[in-house]
Amino acid sequence: QVSQTLMRSFSSTTRNRLENRVAEKQKLFQEDNDLPVHLKGGGTDNVLYRLTMALCLGGECRARLGLSFKRPAPAGVRKGLVPSLGFGREPTSV
């Protein structure tokens, strides 16, 4: 009896609750109201767009700030030499 109740609740009520709203959304996004597509959805789309832009700009500023405080490489490393390991040294004549 429990399985019959579960089957009935899953099969009938979900169909009644879900509607096909594709036609409404198509009308909303196709009307010519001089708004970009990413803002035609309303206030929620506007908030999400601004939040995304703020996060992107904040991340870029943080990356640039982090790179601006990097120390320059030592002279040997800048020339491609690693003096502690001996790589890249000129051969000594005997």
Side-chain angles (χ1 to χ4, degrees):
Q1 184 152 9
V2 174
S3 64
Q4 263 187 338
T5 308
L6 285 175
M7 285 300 292
R8 207 174 297 137
S9 67
F10 281 122
S11 64
S12 62
T13 57
T14 55
R15 268 191 232 138
N16 294 338
R17 289 183 190 166
L18 297 177
E19 299 174 12
N20 188 1
R21 296 185 300 176
V22 174
E24 296 171 22
K25 294 290 184 182
Q26 281 179 342
K27 286 179 188 177
L28 175 72
F29 283 98
Q30 288 179 357
E31 59 183 45
D32 188 20
N33 54 4
D34 295 332
L35 283 176
V37 171
H38 60 274
L39 296 179
K40 283 190 177 189
T44 306
D45 282 352
N46 197 359
V47 169
L48 286 174
Y49 173 73
R50 289 178 188 269
L51 178 68
T52 303
M53 289 303 292
L55 288 172
C56 289
L57 290 173
E60 184 176 346
C61 290
R62 183 175 179 203
R64 287 179 186 258
L65 186 68
L67 287 174
S68 68
F69 286 116
K70 293 282 185 191
R71 290 190 314 177
V77 176
R78 247 184 279 144
K79 293 179 183 174
L81 305 175
V82 183
S84 62
L85 299 176
F87 295 121
R89 289 187 182 166
E90 304 255 344
T92 57
S93 57
V94 184

